[in-house]
C-alpha cells in the first residue's frame, strides 16, 4: 500500500488518530443516541428545531470525520471497506429522513422518524481502533457467522411448532373448550401457533394448558411439547451458538497470534546478528533492552531483567528466534513489581516503630485471627443492618461499627507500607476504604441534617444503606473457594460491558420501532391520582385484562427509558399485553424480539460465561507464567534464606491473570496454536489492514 | 476372589442371572412404585389391606432376591457394597413403616406413610446389569460428583440473594409501598428473600418489581439483580454441571475402554502363536474366525470377512496385537448387510417386470422428482388438514390423499426389493407404512361408524387426526440439513429415557412429600358443577387469590398423577400458590424442588444435549469407520466397473452411526484415549467388580 509521506499528509494522519478526535466521535455518537430522550415521545420534551439542530450537528461531525478519513487513506482502500459505505448510507438516510420529517411536520402532516432505527448501527460501524469497539464488532461478526446454522435449527423448531399447533387445532378446536376469559380455546390456527411459541418462553406456562387439563388428561400433549420444544430445541440453540462462538473466537485469536508472530519474526530479522561460531542468528541482550525501552518506556529495570531471565534461561547473554518471538506473549502477562520499602513511620520514629508494643500490633494485624475477628464483626453488622433503623440502639451501633472498620483500616495502614497497601492490584483494600469512608461521610451528613432540622434526606439515607450492605461483600473474599468464582466474575466484567453495548444496540432498534407502534396506547397514572381511567391504563381496550389488573400500566413504550425497561422485562419473560391495544399483528414484534434477544444474544452471553468458566477451571497456566512464578519463588526463597524478608528490596508477583481478554483467549486455544511455527513467508491477510490503522 | 464352583453353586448363580429373574425384580419394583396410584390419596382407591398385601409381597420378593444374591457372592463382597446395604435398609424401613401405619390406622390414629419416599431409591440401587440401569446410576454418580462444586456456586449465589434482599429491605421497607394485593411491599426480610429467589426462576418477573417501578426509577436494582443472579449465576450453574459431566463421563469411558482393552490383551495372549521367523506373536485368521463365531453366533460370513479385511489390511493371513485389540471397537460399528436380490415379481413374471412400461415406472419412482412431487402433495395435504373437517369436500379429499399415499407405498414396493425396503435401518419406510395403514383403518372405521349410526367416536377421530398430522413429519427427511439435526435428536432419544427415569425418581420423592403436605387442600370441581366452592377451589383460604382466579384448581396434590403434572409445571415455571393453603414454610418445598430439578437435573440434561450436539457437528468419523467406508466404496465401484449393478450379490453399508451411546462417548474422547497403549500389566480397578457381574 502506498502512503503519502509528505509532512502535510502525516500531520493529517496524526490528527485523525489523535485521541481527542476519536473521543469526540464517540461523544457525538452518544449525543446522537441520547436524542431519543428529547424527541417525541420524550422523557424531557424539547422543540423539534432544537433536536433537529443537534442531530444536524452530529451528522455533520460524522460527515467531516468520513471526509477526513477519506483524505488519510488511499481512495480504493476507502471504498473497499463496507464499514465506510455503511456509515455514509446511514448519514445520508438520516439527513433525508430529517428533511422529510421537518417538512411534513411544518405542514402539519403525520410523520415517522424511521431513520432513528439506524442510529445504533453507527456505534457498531465506527472503528476508531478502540479495543471495546473491536470486541463489539467481533460479537456481531460471531452472530453473523452463526446465523446460517441457527436458521436451520430455527426452521426445524418452527416446523415442530407448526405441526404441534396443527395437532392442537385438530384435537382441541372442535371440543368447545373455553379459556379463562371465556373465549374459545385453541380454535384459530395462528392464535395456537402464537400461544405455543410463547409457551417456549415459559411465559404462559400453566395457563395455556389449563383448559385442556381441566377437560381431560390431554396434558400429555403439552408435556411432549415442553420436552421437545422448550427443553430440547432451546438447548440445541445454545449448542449451535456455543459451537460457533468457540469456533469463530478460535479462528480470530489464531489470526491475531499469527499476525503478531509474523511481525515479531520481521523484527527479529532486523535485529538479528550471527553469534560466534557462524551458528544461528540471535539477538543480544543489549539490543533487546533497547527494544524493550522503546516499546514500553516506563518499564522498571527489575521487570526487564525478569523478562530477560525468563527468555534466556541458560544465561547465555543472547536469545534465539523462538525465545524472541515469545516477547509479545510475555509482555501480556501482568507482572506486579512490589518494592518493599521501609514504612514511613519507621523512618520518622524508628525506635517507636520497632518497640515491642508496635511489633505486637503488627503481628496481630498480620495474624489470620485478625481476619476472622473482622469477619465475625461483619456478620454481627449484617444482623444490625437488618434490624429496625428507628431503634436508637441500632443507629448508635452503626457508629460503633464504623469506628471498628476505621480502626481496621488504620491498623492495616500501620502494619503495611502505604504504597504496597494502595497498590493497584489490591482490589479489596480500595473497596474497603471507599465504602467505609463514604459511609462515614454519609452517616455524618445524615445525622447532622437530622440534628439541625429534624429533616432526613431520603437520598442520602439510601446511599448510606447501600454502602452499609455493600460492606458485607467483603465476607466473600475470606473464603478461598469463593475467590475463584469471584475472579471469574471480575474477569467477565469487561465482556459484560461489551454485551451491554450489544444489548443497547438491539434494544435501541426495538425501542424505536416499539415507540412508533405503541406510544401513548398505555397511560400510567400516579398511584394517588383519582382519574377513572387509571383502572384500565387510560385505554378502554384494556378494560378487564390481566395487563390492567396486575397494574402493568407503567410498562409502556411512551418514552425511550420505559421502552428499555419493558424490553428488559420481555427478555426475562415474554409477556405481550400490548397486542390488546393495537392489532394482533403486533405479535410479530414480540416474536422477533424473542428470536433476536433470547435465542441469539442471551445464548451468546451464556456461551461466553460457559467458556470463561471452563477455561478458569480447566486451563493450566501457560508455560511462560509458570516460568515467571518459578523465578519469583526463587527470589522469595532467597529472601527467606538470608533472613531479610523485611529489608528485601524487590519482590515480583506474577499475577495469575493475563492482562487482557485476548490473553485469556490465547490461553484457551494455546494447545491448538502451538504447532504452526514461526514461518515468515506467509503473511496473514489481516495484517494489511493493520498497517493502515496503526 | 474365590468362587464356589460346586455344581449347586453354579446352578444358583445361573438362576440368579437368569433373564426371567431379573425381569421379575423390575416388575416388582414397578408394582411397588405404582402402588401410589391406589393408596390414599388415590386415583383408584383400594382398601388398605389390599395395598398392604401387595406391598408385603413386593418387599418379600426383594428380600428373597437379596438373600439369593448373598448366597451367590462371597460374604465380605456382599457387605462391602453400599448398594446392598441401601436395599436392606430400605426394605427394613418399609416393613417397619407398614407395621406402624397398619397399627395406627387400625386403632384410628393419624398416620403417615413416610417410607414411600424411599421406594424410587430401589430403582436406583438395584443393579441387574441392565444397561439402562447402569446409565441411571451413572447419571446419579455424575450428580454426586458435581455436588461440591455446585454447592460452592450455590452458596455464593445465595449470599448474593441475601445481600440483595437486605438492600431491598433497606431501600423499600420503609417507603410504605403496597403490592397489588394491598399488602406491604418488601417489608419482611424472609419474604423478600423468597420473592427474589423466585425472580431467578423468572416466575414473578414483572410483578415483583412493579411497585418499586411505579414509585420511581428503582428498577435499576432489579436490572442489576437479574443480570447478576438470573443470567450470570444460572450460567455458572450450567458451566459447573457441564464441566463435571464432561470430566466424569470421560473418566468413566476411559475406565471402560481400559477394561475392555485389558480383556482383549488377555484374550490375545491366550490365542497367540508365534509367526514364522520367530517374530511377533500373532493370531491367525482361522482362530479369529472361530472366536467371532463364538462371540456373535449369527454374524454373516460376508460381515466377518469385511471385518477381517479391515484388520488385516495387507492380506497377510494373520494379525498382530494392535489389530486384534481393535476387534471390540470394530464390532460396535453397525454394519448393514444388504443383499440385493432380484425382486419377487421379477422371478414370477420376468417378462412383465422387464417390459418398458415397468422399467419406466421404476425409473420414475427412483427419480428425484418423485420425492419432490410427494413433498408437494404433503404440503397440500397440510392445508387440507387445517381446513374444517365438516366440509364434505375436505373429508372426501382425505380419501384422495390416502389413496395417493397408498399408491406411493405400492410403487416403492414395486421398484424396491421388499426385504431391502423393510430393512431395519429404513426408519422412514416403516414410519410411512405404519402411519398410512393405521390412518386408513382409522378413517374406514370412522366413516363406517358414521354411516351406520351417525355416531362419531371422538377417540377414533382423535387418533385419525394425530396420524394425519404425523404424516407431515416426512417433509423433514427430504431436506439434508435437517436430517443431521434429526439424527442428533434420534440419537439423544435413549438418553432422554434415562433422564425420564431420573426425573421419575426425583418427581416421585417430591410427589410423596407434596401429597402428605397438600392433599385435599385444593379441590377441583368439574366445569359444569354448580358448587359455590368452585370459585375458590373448595378452600376459603384461596378466596380472591390469583391461583383461584386463573382456575388452577386442578393443579393439586390430591393424587399421584396430578402431583406429577404439578411438578412438571413447577419445573417449567416455579409457581407456588400452595403456600396460601398451608403454612409459609411450605415454600421450602418449592425452593428445594427448584434447586434439585431446575439447577441440577435440567442443567445435566442441557449439558448432555450440548455435548451430543457438539460431537455430532465436530467429531470426525473414527479410523475404523473410515476404513470400512473405503472398502465399501471399493466394492461398489467394482460393481459399477463390471456393469453389474443390479446383479451385484453383496453390498455393504457402513452406518455413519455407532451402535451404542458408549460408542458415541468413546468417539467423543477418542483423541484422549489414543495415547495409553495396550499394556497388560495394570489391571483397571473396576474390572474386579465386572467379574462378579458377568
Amino acid at each position: 500500500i502506498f502512503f503519502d509521506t509528505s509532512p502535510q499528509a502525516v500531520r493529517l494522519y496524526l490528527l485523525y488518530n489523535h485521541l481527542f478526535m476519536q473521543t469526540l466521535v464517540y461523544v457525538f455518537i452518544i449525543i446522537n443516541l441520547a436524542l431519543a430522550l428529547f424527541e417525541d415521545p420524550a422523557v424531557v420534551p424539547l422543540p423539534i428545531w432544537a433536536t433537529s439542530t443537534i442531530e444536524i450537528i452530529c451528522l455533520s461531525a460524522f460527515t467531516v470525520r468520513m471526509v477526513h478519513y477519506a483524505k488519510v487513506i488511499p481512495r480504493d482502500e476507502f471504498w473497499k471497506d463496507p464499514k465506510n459505505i455503511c456509515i455514509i448510507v446511514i448519514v445520508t438516510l438520516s439527513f433525508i429522513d430529517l428533511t422529510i420529517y421537518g417538512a411534513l411536520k411544518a405542514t402539519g402532516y403525520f410523520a415517522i422518524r424511521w431513520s432513528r432505527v439506524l442510529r445504533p448501527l453507527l456505534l457498531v460501524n465506527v472503528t476508531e481502533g478502540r479495543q471495546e469497539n473491536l470486541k463489539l464488532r467481533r460479537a456481531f461478526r460471531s452472530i453473523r457467522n452463526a446465523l446460517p446454522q441457527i436458521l436451520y435449527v430455527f426452521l426445524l423448531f418452527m416446523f415442530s411448532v407448526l405441526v404441534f399447533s396443527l395437532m392442537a387445532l385438530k384435537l382441541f378446536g372442535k371440543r368447545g373448550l373455553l379459556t379463562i376469559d371465556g373465549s374459545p380455546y385453541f380454535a384459530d390456527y395462528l392464535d395456537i401457533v402464537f400461544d405455543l411459541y410463547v409457551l417456549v418462553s415459559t411465559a404462559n406456562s400453566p395457563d395455556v394448558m389449563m383448559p385442556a387439563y381441566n377437560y381431560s388428561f390431554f396434558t400429555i400433549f403439552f408435556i411432549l411439547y415442553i420436552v421437545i420444544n422448550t427443553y430440547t430445541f432451546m438447548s440445541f440453540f445454545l449448542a449451535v451458538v456455543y459451537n460457533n462462538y468457540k469456533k469463530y473466537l478460535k479462528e480470530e485469536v489464531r489470526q491475531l497470534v499469527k499476525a503478531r508472530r509474523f511481525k515479531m519474526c520481521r523484527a527479529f530479522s532486523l535485529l538479528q546478528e550471527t553469534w560466534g561460531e557462524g551458528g544461528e542468528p540471535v539477538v543480544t541482550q543489549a539490543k533487546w533492552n533497547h527494544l524493550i525501552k522503546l516499546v514500553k518506556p516506563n518499564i522498571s529495570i527489575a521487570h526487564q531483567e525478569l523478562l530477560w531471565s525468563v527468555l534466556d534461561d541458560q544465561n547465555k547473554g543472547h536469545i534465539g528466534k523462538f525465545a524472541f518471538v515469545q516477547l509479545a506473549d510475555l509482555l501480556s502477562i501482568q507482572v506486579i513489581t512490589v518494592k518493599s520499602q521501609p514504612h514511613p513511620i519507621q523512618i520518622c520514629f524508628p525506635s517507636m516503630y520497632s518497640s515491642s508494643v508496635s511489633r505486637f500490633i503488627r503481628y496481630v494485624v498480620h495474624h489470620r485471627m485478625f481476619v476472622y475477628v473482622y469477619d465475625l464483626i461483619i456478620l454481627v453488622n449484617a444482623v444490625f443492618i437488618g434490624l429496625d433503623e428507628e431503634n436508637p440502639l441500632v443507629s448508635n451501633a452503626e457508629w460503633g461499627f464504623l469506628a471498628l472498620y476505621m480502626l481496621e483500616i488504620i491498623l492495616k495502614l500501620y502494619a503495611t507500607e502505604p504504597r504496597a497497601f494502595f497498590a493497584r492490584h489490591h482490589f479489596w483494600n480500595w473497596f474497603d476504604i471507599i465504602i467505609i469512608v463514604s459511609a462515614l461521610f454519609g452517616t455524618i451528613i445524615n445525622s447532622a441534617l437530622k440534628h439541625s432540622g429534624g429533616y432526613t434526606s431520603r437520598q442520602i439515607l439510601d446511599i448510606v444503606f447501600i454502602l452499609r450492605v455493600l460492606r458485607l461483600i467483603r465476607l466473600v473474599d475470606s473464603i478461598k473457594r469463593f475467590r475463584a468464582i469471584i475472579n471469574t466474575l471480575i474477569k467477565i466484567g469487561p465482556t459484560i460491558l461489551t454485551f451491554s453495548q450489544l444489548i443497547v444496540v438491539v434494544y435501541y432498534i426495538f425501542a424505536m420501532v416499539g415507540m412508533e407502534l405503541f406510544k401513548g396506547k398505555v397511560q400510567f397514572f400516579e398511584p394517588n391520582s383519582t382519574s377513572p381511567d387509571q383502572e384500565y391504563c387510560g385505554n378502554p381496550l384494556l378494560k378487564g385484562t390481566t395487563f390492567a389488573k396486575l397494574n402493568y400500566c407503567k410498562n409502556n413504550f411512551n418514552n425511550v427509558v420505559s421502552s428499555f425497561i419493558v424490553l428488559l422485562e420481555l427478555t426475562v419473560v415474554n409477556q405481550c399485553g400490548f397486542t390488546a391495544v393495537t392489532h394482533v399483528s403486533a405479535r410479530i414484534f414480540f416474536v422477533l424480539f424473542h428470536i433476536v434477544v433470547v435465542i441469539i444474544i442471551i445464548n451468546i452471553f451464556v456461551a461466553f460465561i460457559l467458556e470463561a468458566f471452563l477455561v478458569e477451571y480447566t486451563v493450566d497456566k501457560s508455560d511462560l507464567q509458570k516460568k515467571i512464578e518459578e523465578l519469583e519463588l526463587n527470589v522469595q526463597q532467597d529472601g527467606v534464606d538470608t533472613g531479610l524478608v523485611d529489608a528485601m528490596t524487590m519482590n515480583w508477583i506474577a499475577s495469575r491473570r493475563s492482562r487482557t481478554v485476548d490473553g485469556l483467549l490465547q490461553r484457551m486455544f494455546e494447545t491448538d496454536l502451538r504447532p504452526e511455527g514461526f514461518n515468515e513467508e506467509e503473511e496473514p491477510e489481516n495484517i494489511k489492514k493493520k498497517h493502515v490503522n496503526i
Side-chain angles (χ1 to χ4, degrees), chain A residues 97-310:
Chain A
D97 180 37
L98 204 58
T99 321
I100 295 172
Y101 183 78
L104 283 172
K105 274 282 160 188
T107 51
Y109 281 100
F110 172 76
I112 291 178
R113 276 302 319 273
W114 49 264
S115 72
R116 300 202 295 174
V117 169
L118 304 172
R119 279 180 195 163
L121 297 180
L122 282 173
L123 187 65
V124 184
N125 281 299
V126 167
T127 44
E128 297 302 333
R130 318 266 81 197
Q131 229 201 341
E132 263 316 303
N133 205 273
L134 275 180
K135 269 191 242 160
L136 182 63
R137 289 184 56 74
R138 189 190 284 167
F140 264 100
R141 246 176 314 181
S142 120
I143 291 173
R144 209 178 49 204
N145 280 278
L147 274 186
Q149 278 203 39
I150 292 175
L151 185 73
Y152 283 116
V153 179
F154 184 77
L155 286 178
L156 202 62
F157 161 69
M158 275 319 291
F159 179 77
S160 153
V161 171
L162 290 175
V163 167
F164 266 103
S165 304
L166 195 55
M167 214 178 273
L169 178 71
K170 292 275 109 178
L171 287 180
F172 305 118
K174 292 274 166 157
R175 285 205 149 83
L177 302 178
L178 295 175
T179 62
I180 190 83
D181 309 331
S183 50
Y185 177 66
F186 274 7
D188 179 63
Y189 185 63
L190 286 179
D191 279 349
I192 300 174
V193 173
F194 181 71
D195 279 342
L196 288 184
Y197 186 88
V198 173
L199 181 56
V200 165
S201 74
T202 74
N204 57 357
S205 167
D207 306 88
V208 75
M209 67 179 250
M210 282 323 287
Y213 182 35
N214 286 338
Y215 173 73
S216 78
F217 279 110
F218 267 114
T219 13
I220 191 80
F221 173 82
F222 291 96
I223 293 174
L224 262 179
Y225 183 85
I226 287 170
V227 169
I228 293 178
N229 290 309
T230 308
Y231 288 115
T232 311
F233 269 106
M234 288 299 130
S235 304
F236 270 17
F237 282 120
L238 178 61
V240 170
V241 169
Y242 178 60
N243 188 22
N244 271 279
Y245 175 82
K246 219 168 141 178
K247 205 171 67 185
Y248 190 67
L249 213 62
K250 204 166 159 177
E251 183 53 34
E252 287 239 322
V253 171
R254 215 180 60 85
Q255 288 288 346
L256 221 80
V257 171
K258 216 170 160 184
R260 194 160 63 193
R261 288 207 177 140
F262 173 76
K263 278 189 244 169
M264 289 307 290
C265 287
R266 283 261 287 259
F268 183 79
S269 57
L270 287 176
L271 292 173
Q272 71 186 30
E273 34 192 287
T274 321
W275 191 254
E277 57 277 25
E280 296 171 43
V282 294
V283 167
T284 58
Q285 189 168 7
K287 270 200 178 168
W288 191 85
N289 282 345
H290 193 68
L291 177 75
I292 290 284
K293 273 283 168 209
L294 278 176
V295 176
K296 290 213 153 191
N298 51 0
I299 196 170
S300 72
I301 294 175
H303 186 177
Q304 192 178 321
E305 272 173 10
L306 174 73
L307 292 185
W308 178 260
S309 55
V310 168

Side-chain angles (χ1 to χ4, degrees), chain A residues 369-416:
Chain A
M369 280 308 290
F370 187 76
V371 177
Y372 291 159
V373 167
Y374 266 95
D375 283 351
L376 195 72
I377 291 173
I378 292 173
L379 276 177
V380 174
N381 192 186
V383 175
F384 270 84
I385 292 172
L387 293 176
D388 190 15
E389 189 61 25
E390 311 287 292
N391 190 331
L393 182 74
V394 176
S395 53
N396 289 334
E398 174 60 20
W399 289 105
F401 283 114
L402 272 178
L404 279 171
Y405 294 130
M406 286 305 294
L407 181 70
E408 185 194 14
I409 292 172
I410 290 166
L411 280 176
K412 276 189 179 169
L413 268 174
Y414 181 77
T416 324

Side-chain angles (χ1 to χ4, degrees), chain A residues 223 466 533 547:
Chain A
I223 293 174
I466 290 170
D533 295 350
F547 187 89

